Amino acid sequence: MEHLIVCPVCRGALTQAEGGYLCPLGHRFDTARRGYTNLLLGHSPGGHGDNREMILARQAFLGAGHYAPLLEALTHRAEQYFPEGGLLVDAGCGEGYYTDGALRALASRGARGIGIDISKEALRAAGTRPSVKGGALTLLVAGVYDMPLSDGCADMVLNFFAPLAREEYLRILRQDGILIMAIPARRHLFELKQVLYDTPYENEVQDFALAGFRLLHEDLISTRLSLDGSEQIGALFSMTPYYFRTPREGKERLARLSHLDVTAEFHLLTYRRSLL
């Protein structure tokens, strides 16, 4: 990863040194035992990003294969456009389910990856993924609005339910690079919201136009999930934004359920960076 990763202090090139990274001005960043390097400057009480409970819930739910159709759609599109020996950047990689899946599908092309997330807890979990242990995936704690990466270094950027950092994608992608985004569709988890809220609502889906990019494909992925037991239902709930804004009555209704049939529905959007 030499000359791809930059120092968050001085923006000089970071090179691998024993146990971490070093820039020409001597700024050093150690790699943790769990395989990630913290390049996030500044600290605040309580940490950043998703907490351990949310990460464990996501690991359990995704590990059970509930969102496998979305991963399959991602790998299909990635295989269409990813170049030999290219670099994939997952901007907001979380616990690494989609990052690792994409890199394993692209392994025959010598794919390398960088996963960026603001949550140390997420990257601790991502550090157990095969692509990290095999050396194909580098994990960095950093924000997606100021990624510690050099200009034009990436062949493909992933954004799966992460904040939209359009200007950063334009900066780090090469001239004809690819952006693949996943966003919830209108009926995503609607049956869950019927339990949680007195007046459930469909998701609002905006225009897919994105300045600086040309839309190549819009895939709608819809799958029906059959969740048995409070553990599976609770894992789904804990990994959603509803976890933070559901009233007590809705949480109590959900806790009483032993089975839930729910629709998972996504838009997978594939863009090419527009030539300047």
Side-chain angles (χ1 to χ4, degrees), residues 29-227:
F29 303 89
D30 293 330
T31 299
R33 228 169 9 96
R34 295 298 292 270
Y36 65 86
T37 305
N38 189 356
L39 299 183
L40 186 66
L41 299 179
H43 302 279
S44 64
H48 300 272
D50 292 343
N51 60 34
R52 187 168 185 270
E53 183 180 0
M54 295 183 73
I55 296 302
L56 290 175
R58 193 174 298 130
Q59 273 189 301
F61 189 83
L62 296 175
H66 294 301
Y67 282 3
L70 179 58
L71 178 57
E72 291 169 8
L74 163 62
T75 58
H76 171 69
R77 290 303 182 196
E79 287 171 339
Q80 281 185 272
Y81 296 103
F82 197 82
E84 194 75 26
L87 177 69
L88 178 147
V89 174
D90 192 340
C93 66
E95 79 314 314
Y97 174 74
Y98 299 104
T99 332
D100 179 71
L103 285 174
R104 285 189 285 113
L106 299 168
S108 65
R109 302 185 193 181
R112 302 164 297 154
I114 296 177
I116 291 178
D117 204 279
I118 203 169
S119 168
K120 287 184 185 179
E121 289 292 346
L123 295 190
R124 287 190 183 104
T128 65
R129 298 286 179 184
S131 55
V132 176
K133 294 183 176 297
L137 177 59
T138 298
L139 299 174
L140 304 176
V141 181
V144 297
Y145 293 106
D146 186 19
M147 290 185 272
L149 301 176
S150 59
D151 296 355
C153 67
D155 297 281
M156 182 174 287
V157 170
L158 304 185
N159 175 322
F160 271 53
F161 317 109
L164 178 64
R166 182 188 63 85
E167 292 184 2
E168 272 294 86
Y169 307 155
L170 289 171
R171 182 183 70 80
I172 69 169
L173 275 170
R174 61 177 169 80
Q175 282 294 312
D176 59 346
I178 297 294
L179 167 65
I180 302 180
M181 290 179 55
I183 61 173
R186 290 192 184 278
R187 299 286 293 183
H188 182 56
L189 304 185
F190 187 76
E191 296 87 353
L192 175 64
K193 288 188 282 190
Q194 286 180 310
V195 177
L196 298 177
Y197 305 121
D198 294 331
T199 307
Y201 55 92
E202 291 187 343
N203 297 315
E204 183 179 353
V205 178
Q206 304 288 342
D207 189 333
F208 297 145
L210 192 61
F213 292 90
R214 178 166 61 90
L215 182 63
L216 301 176
H217 307 283
E218 184 272 302
D219 300 306
L220 179 65
I221 297 100
S222 184
T223 185
R224 188 75 168 168
L225 307 179
S226 183
L227 305 181

